[in-house]
């Protein structure tokens, strides 16, 4: 029952998510010795207004 | 201070969330021996475009 | 595919977790209109040294 | 590589998030002995319809 | 700054985690158009006593 | 009801956590316009065997 949560910036396309979900699931099944049916991938898109590195929101960077 | 996070597909109504928050809180208090005031329930709705099982996004299933 | 994460203090028994997992699953299925097979409950026990309220770690309270 | 996730009600302004990201990063660097470049702060805004205390959704309180 | 959290049962080896971290990072970089340096993978091992499916803790299954 | 989760490497002392919980709470209250009683800080220590950057587990770096 692996659950893989991908937290990243908003902006990736449906196609990118579909491909990445497939690639991650394939890797988890092959390396983690589980089944695809038990593997879930969840995407959490975060706006640049909501993510800071080094104390600065990404949306405020020049 | 239990925090219970429910991550599921978007689409449940306000009424369903209200009922489930009440039922979960009742169970946590009764079984976990805590108080209702200290129990929080948070709902995280995930779009079907953002959740894959077996490597396929739910929104892509036929 | 609801995933319910219960984050609370360390110390609950196996019996309490078994009962609460059953009660939460029953409530999610009944109110959320899903199946038990798709419902997962995960417990995250947090030590009192790792949880602060009002700026004070629980393990430091008198 | 600290990651600090702030989960709270929707409604804080960009200015409040910018200030808080800066203050938290400063504290993590100073007290946790790490670098600002390795410190990330992520904000997760939760609607009052999605957060219950004592079994009642915040949006349902009088 | 993608952060990928893998939540699964305790028991995978260091070697499996090392391989999976590499495979996931490669996929995120290739498909998500980001850099390896900005990609983090975190493993959260959950004991079978702490994970229930269909209302039954995994450690209680026959 | 802000909940602040700090995810970082294992190894910080009790004293560091106590200080950081106090500093973060003070900042959340002052900037976020909430009360200390409603602010919770949770620490999640992650072993270097469980955290990879650029596809390499921290415990494997030379």
């Amino acid at each position: 029952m692996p659950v893989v949560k991908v937290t990243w910036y908003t902006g990736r396309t449906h196609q990118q998510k579909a491909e990445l979900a497939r690639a991650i699931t394939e890797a988890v099944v092959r390396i983690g010795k589980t089944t695809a049916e038990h593997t879930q991938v969840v995407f959490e898109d975060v706006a640049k207004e909501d993510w800071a590195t080094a104390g600065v929101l990404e949306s405020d960077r020049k």
Side-chain angles (χ1 to χ4, degrees), chain A:
Chain A
M1 287 79 178
V3 178
V4 180
K5 188 162 198 175
V6 179
T7 304
W8 60 4
Y9 293 140
T10 295
R12 271 69 180 214
T13 64
H14 180 84
Q15 182 58 25
Q16 284 176 300
K17 291 180 182 178
E19 268 187 61
L20 186 54
R22 193 163 50 230
I24 287 178
T25 300
E26 184 278 327
V28 168
V29 168
R30 179 170 49 82
I31 298 166
K33 309 298 180 204
T34 184
T35 63
E37 288 67 33
H38 284 120
T39 305
Q40 300 185 58
V41 179
V42 182
F43 294 98
E44 180 184 30
D45 292 350
V46 178
K48 294 199 170 186
E49 287 79 24
D50 284 323
W51 197 316
T53 306
V56 181
L57 294 173
E58 288 308 310
S59 56
D60 287 353
R61 289 191 190 285
K62 314 295 172 196

